[in-house]
Amino acid sequence: MSRTRVVVTGMGAVCATGVGVPALWQAARNGASAVGLSEFARPGTNQVKLAAQIKSFVPEAHIEAKVLPFCDRFAQLAIVAADEAMAQAGLAREPRQGSRTAVILGTGIGGISTVDDLCYSAYAAKTRLNPFAVPRIMGSSATSHLSMRYGCTGPTFTITSACASSAQAIGLATSLVRSGAVDRAIVGGSESSMTALNIRSWELLRVLTPDACRPFSAGRNGMVLGEGAAIMVIEEREAARRRDAAPLAEIVGYGTSSDAFDIVRPDPEGACSAMQLAIADAGLTPDDIDYVNAHGTGTIANDIAEADALQRVFGDRLPRLAVSSTKPIHGHTLGAGGAIELAISIMALRDDIAPPTINWLGPDPKCALAPVANEARATPIRVAMSNSFAFGGVNACLLVARPDLTPGGSRCERAG
């Protein structure tokens, strides 16, 4: 019995690279970093000054005045990315999407900007508190806004699994579509953690770099935080076909696992398990994977553990496999990272281009892989893998294939 196939028919993104997937892909492909000096209305005691902040975003240009007071910045980013994804999918706010459409998003910390403002007003400035603080803070706020915006009355919920949040949201939504519970889903993730206090908190964990994020490179010393959102419309393939939607990619595999090991230290076994589960879910072998968008934070512990896990999955092929981390370009966007990096992976599929790992200085003997270093590489890509490995040991892996290929690699009947 053949399995229900799930395709992506629309994508949207807002990152430090700009508004829209084209801006994100152009920066990723060209290795153009959007990391710069952070700016805060209330500067803290940060020693680390780098971040991938969105500095040109004007929410009033995109979102209605009656909606904005209820939206923390992470919900604003989700709405703008969703509008782009829905438009590309050929869907609109009218007619309403109804009970056969789900909304499932991921976020790590939800409305932290509102929490920061609220604490300052209450304890320092002693000014009037925002009466809409509660609906802005809720981790499920962005998800609910999207369900109301498009009239989606199917399953609607938010996944919070730190940096694996949006990858798990996409994977679980794929399972719902496969099961027949819904025809389509609005999925992805959003995160805006750009407060001085939050960056100082990460700094205290000694995982932020003071100079440059260099995943898998000699001399790497940490990551750069970022903010952003990526939203996708996924659909049962035949439902998409009936309304003449053009698939961008097919989601062919999903795997998730838990290290059950340590709250901040990764265990390669857990990451390896997530990748193997995704490959098995797709009915593929490691040899079918042509590109890996690695979690690749640039921290010493993460990169060694992920390289170890990739070695266990791909064996002797790993040094020849196209692997890159795009986090030095758009920053580590925490709960939104899985969705943003899957969008980049889908564009890599479309163009047969593996984006680069920029800032790479040379090999680290403890990372047995040769990333696509500093410049993009043209290479045929049949299937791309996107990894998300979170604090707390939660792992998620997604596989996407070209929409005109069957998982086994041959042309399907829909080609053309």
Side-chain angles (χ1 to χ4, degrees):
M1 183 176 177
S2 62
R3 185 174 67 175
T4 299
R5 297 170 68 172
V6 180
V7 295
V8 179
T9 55
M11 297 196 297
V14 185
C15 298
T17 54
V19 176
V21 171
L24 172 64
W25 175 234
Q26 182 177 18
R29 181 189 60 204
N30 296 341
S33 178
V35 174
L37 292 177
S38 56
E39 299 173 359
F40 302 108
R42 295 187 296 274
T45 57
N46 305 33
Q47 300 300 308
V48 173
K49 305 297 183 185
L50 295 177
Q53 280 183 302
I54 304 171
K55 295 182 178 178
S56 59
F57 179 65
V58 181
E60 292 81 2
H62 304 277
I63 302 172
E64 301 83 351
K66 66 179 182 181
V67 176
L68 270 177
F70 299 94
C71 297
D72 182 271
R73 186 173 171 89
F74 93 104
Q76 297 171 10
L77 301 178
I79 289 171
V80 176
D83 282 352
E84 181 187 2
M86 291 288 281
Q88 186 176 36
L91 299 171
R93 296 169 68 175
E94 298 292 345
R96 311 297 273 169
Q97 297 303 313
S99 63
R100 297 293 298 172
T101 300
V103 184
I104 304 174
L105 304 186
T107 187
I109 47 183
I112 192 172
S113 297
T114 299
V115 173
D116 197 72
D117 291 342
L118 201 65
C119 290
Y120 179 79
S121 295
Y123 302 129
K126 300 188 185 303
T127 55
R128 178 177 180 268
L129 303 184
N130 187 334
F132 303 127
V134 171
R136 291 168 63 96
I137 292 170
M138 298 187 311
S140 58
S141 173
T143 312
S144 293
H145 276 293
L146 297 194
S147 72
M148 293 183 286
R149 194 169 185 82
Y150 308 112
C152 307
T153 56
T156 296
F157 55 89
T158 302
I159 290 178
T160 299
S161 302
C163 306
S165 299
S166 56
Q168 283 193 318
I170 296 168
L172 185 54
T174 299
S175 300
L176 281 179
V177 176
R178 283 179 182 169
S179 74
V182 294
D183 294 329
R184 70 179 56 86
I186 300 171
V187 300
S190 185
E191 199 84 88
S192 179
S193 62
M194 294 291 107
T195 71
L197 181 61
N198 182 59
I199 291 186
R200 177 61 175 158
S201 299
W202 284 88
E203 184 182 314
L204 293 171
L205 285 173
R206 299 181 184 276
V207 295
L208 298 187
T209 176
D211 47 36
C213 179
R214 310 179 189 280
F216 305 113
S217 169
R220 71 185 183 283
N221 55 8
M223 63 181 184
V224 173
L225 291 176
E227 60 179 338
I231 303 294
M232 299 171 191
V233 176
I234 66 171
E235 305 186 58
E236 190 273 320
R237 189 181 69 150
E238 294 307 310
R241 173 189 283 178
R242 285 194 294 274
R243 63 181 194 85
D244 293 326
L248 305 170
E250 178 174 354
I251 300 176
V252 295
Y254 168 57
T256 186
S257 67
S258 175
D259 292 354
F261 173 66
D262 189 277
I263 197 68
V264 293
R265 288 186 299 151
D267 181 357
E269 184 58 35
C272 175
S273 175
M275 287 187 275
Q276 290 175 330
L277 287 168
I279 293 170
D281 182 48
L284 300 174
T285 72
D287 287 343
D288 294 311
I289 314 300
D290 293 317
Y291 169 65
V292 178
N293 189 295
H295 187 61
T297 60
T299 66
I300 293 173
N302 174 86
D303 288 3
I304 292 174
E306 186 169 8
D308 186 342
L310 287 164
Q311 174 74 53
R312 298 184 194 194
V313 173
F314 292 101
D316 294 341
R317 182 165 171 258
L318 181 59
R320 302 186 303 279
L321 181 63
V323 179
S324 63
S325 167
T326 51
K327 284 185 170 68
I329 294 165
H330 49 69
H332 189 355
T333 54
L334 306 177
I340 291 169
E341 290 156 26
L342 186 67
I344 291 172
S345 300
I346 290 172
M347 297 303 284
L349 270 177
R350 186 196 69 171
D351 291 355
D352 282 330
I353 291 177
T357 304
I358 63 171
N359 303 328
W360 196 77
L361 299 176
D364 178 343
K366 294 181 179 179
C367 297
L369 57 83
V372 180
N374 296 323
E375 292 187 0
R377 179 189 304 166
T379 183
I381 302 175
R382 298 162 297 166
V383 180
M385 168 182 283
S386 180
N387 285 337
S388 298
F389 305 137
F391 271 178
V394 180
N395 309 293
C397 178
L398 291 161
L399 299 183
V400 286
R402 299 176 69 97
D404 56 350
L405 296 179
T406 63
S410 60
R411 295 278 163 183
C412 73
E413 71 279 9
R414 198 184 186 288

